[in-house]
Amino acid sequence: MSRALLCIVLLLAATPGLHVVAETKARKAVVTAMKPEQLADFDDQPKAIQTIITTALKLTERNLTYTYASANPDRGGMDCSGTMYHVLRKEGITDTPRQSDHICGWVMKKSSFTRTKDVHSFDHEVFAALRPGDLLFWSGTYEAGKRENPVTHVMLYLGKRASDGKPVIFGASDGRSYEGQRRCGVSVFDFRVPSAKSKSALYGFGPIPGMRPSAVNSKPKEEIRKATLPTES
């Protein structure tokens, strides 16, 4: 190491608030793409929700990998909150926060939020309130340190597949699956609710602020169509 480079490293190490982060090579993208017409009830959604879902699904066609700390698809990949940040800001929702726990706090403050404590199956009645275009939040997916709330992961609920009624989600992950096959990147995934034995938990869900203003404080009563799904361990 040259003397000049050594001096720079020592300076960074001694400067409060600065951290030297080693850049790791991103895993190869393995993703599943989907078209809006493959979703049941897509045509019944508000135009704003259709637009957001369409924008999201277009990203699944770009073969983007999971890239930590990225919110820019031109870098070849994004992380979970970066993907939501990119999609929502692209559609003019400029107050979208960048971090998953902050996005959850934003939904709690400006929209409505349904907590899913001790919920371990999609058959649970709480999901009667879940709508395509809602944001889903998880806790415990990794050790994140002190946060605004325990949320560590965020995805977009797409609705149910027209072919079989199974629920699917959109976002970025390195490890979630689609049809039992592990995926890495910005993709469509199966929506599986973590089991009671899992370290992670589904924390809750809610509409994107401004997308479904009538959803605030509302309690949908329509019965959900049940699908037989394994839980995520």
Side-chain angles (χ1 to χ4, degrees), residues 15-144:
T15 304
L18 290 181
H19 304 277
V20 180
V21 180
E23 184 175 346
T24 58
K25 186 177 181 180
R27 286 166 52 89
K28 181 180 178 181
V30 182
V31 302
T32 296
M34 185 174 283
K35 298 288 188 181
E37 54 266 32
Q38 293 176 263
L39 297 170
D41 303 324
F42 175 80
D43 292 337
D44 297 330
Q45 304 308 312
K47 183 64 177 177
I49 298 296
Q50 290 183 9
T51 300
I52 285 176
I53 290 176
T54 299
T55 296
L57 291 180
K58 285 181 179 177
L59 287 171
T60 67
E61 300 173 354
R62 294 182 58 176
N63 202 40
L64 300 169
T65 190
Y66 181 88
T67 303
Y68 181 73
S70 173
N72 183 0
D74 292 339
R75 288 184 58 188
M78 296 182 284
D79 64 17
C80 71
S81 56
T83 300
M84 297 302 112
Y85 178 83
H86 172 78
V87 169
L88 299 186
R89 286 182 64 89
K90 183 176 178 64
E91 294 308 320
I93 308 175
T94 57
D95 62 337
T96 306
R98 172 62 180 86
Q99 193 166 286
S100 59
D101 60 319
H102 295 163
I103 297 174
C104 184
W106 173 63
V107 170
M108 289 177 171
K109 182 179 179 180
K110 294 193 173 184
S111 184
S112 61
F113 186 80
T114 300
R115 185 77 168 87
T116 52
K117 184 179 181 180
D118 298 325
V119 173
H120 305 294
S121 170
F122 189 71
D123 287 344
H124 196 285
E125 62 184 4
V126 73
F127 292 114
L130 183 63
R131 298 287 182 269
D134 285 357
L135 294 173
L136 294 153
F137 300 94
W138 286 258
S139 61
T141 55
Y142 66 94
E143 293 294 332

